[in-house]
Amino acid sequence: MSKRVLVSSIVGVVALGGVAAAGLAIASTETAKKLTVDNTSARYVPPSADLTGSLTFTADVRDDSGIRGLKVLAWPASSGLDPTATEMRSTENATCKSTSDTASRCTYTLKVTKAEAADLAEGTWHISTLATAKDGDTEFTPRTSEFTVTR
């Protein structure tokens, strides 16, 4: 192999490596800046003879500026409800605790009495969320999580 081909090959590999590294750096920067709601879980426990039931929803929320809050709305799939980001602004707040400068673990808990449970539609329910970052960015997710209501 001639020196010219070898040098050209090495220069090409270095150039491609630089382009790939720059692309990864840009992608990781964009990911870090985007407001995200991850690792969600929803659990419904119906009331029993002696105990109140509950709905518990948790999520990890991240943004490079930090988290201001998370709005939560639980609704039955059978209702045909289709909440919007604007409507979510007047729903209930989850309790968010910082896990770092850029992330919080948010939890929404709702107690459910026997009388309230009797009025709940059985079947699949969805949870919609509206996350707000400290810099004012918002992220609306119409179906963040789901759970099943049983009696």
Side-chain angles (χ1 to χ4, degrees):
M1 180 182 290
S2 77
K3 286 183 181 180
R4 189 177 356 180
V5 172
L6 183 59
V7 170
S8 295
S9 296
I10 291 172
V11 169
V13 168
V14 169
L16 283 174
V19 170
L24 288 174
I26 290 169
S28 68
T29 300
E30 288 176 3
T31 301
K33 289 183 178 183
K34 183 173 176 5
L35 178 57
T36 61
V37 179
D38 295 314
N39 302 322
T40 64
S41 91
R43 182 172 181 222
Y44 173 75
V45 177
S48 64
D50 300 332
L51 300 173
T52 301
S54 64
L55 165 63
T56 304
F57 170 75
T58 59
D60 292 330
V61 185
R62 292 180 180 81
D63 186 77
D64 64 335
S65 70
I67 304 306
R68 183 179 300 156
L70 182 70
K71 299 279 192 170
V72 178
L73 175 66
W75 52 279
S78 62
S79 71
L81 186 66
D82 192 15
T84 65
T86 302
E87 293 167 333
M88 288 296 297
R89 295 184 193 284
S90 61
T91 62
E92 295 185 24
N93 292 309
T95 301
C96 296
K97 294 184 181 180
S98 293
T99 56
S100 72
D101 290 343
T102 61
S104 292
R105 167 58 63 105
C106 299
T107 304
Y108 173 76
T109 304
L110 180 65
K111 299 294 181 190
V112 181
T113 66
K114 283 185 181 181
E116 292 166 335
D119 291 336
L120 295 178
E122 286 190 85
T124 302
W125 282 58
H126 299 291
I127 292 184
S128 298
T129 56
L130 177 66
T132 304
K134 287 184 179 177
D135 63 7
D137 288 348
T138 60
E139 178 67 27
F140 169 63
T141 309
R143 288 179 180 84
T144 306
S145 190
E146 68 178 43
F147 61 96
T148 303
V149 170
T150 59
R151 299 212 202 291

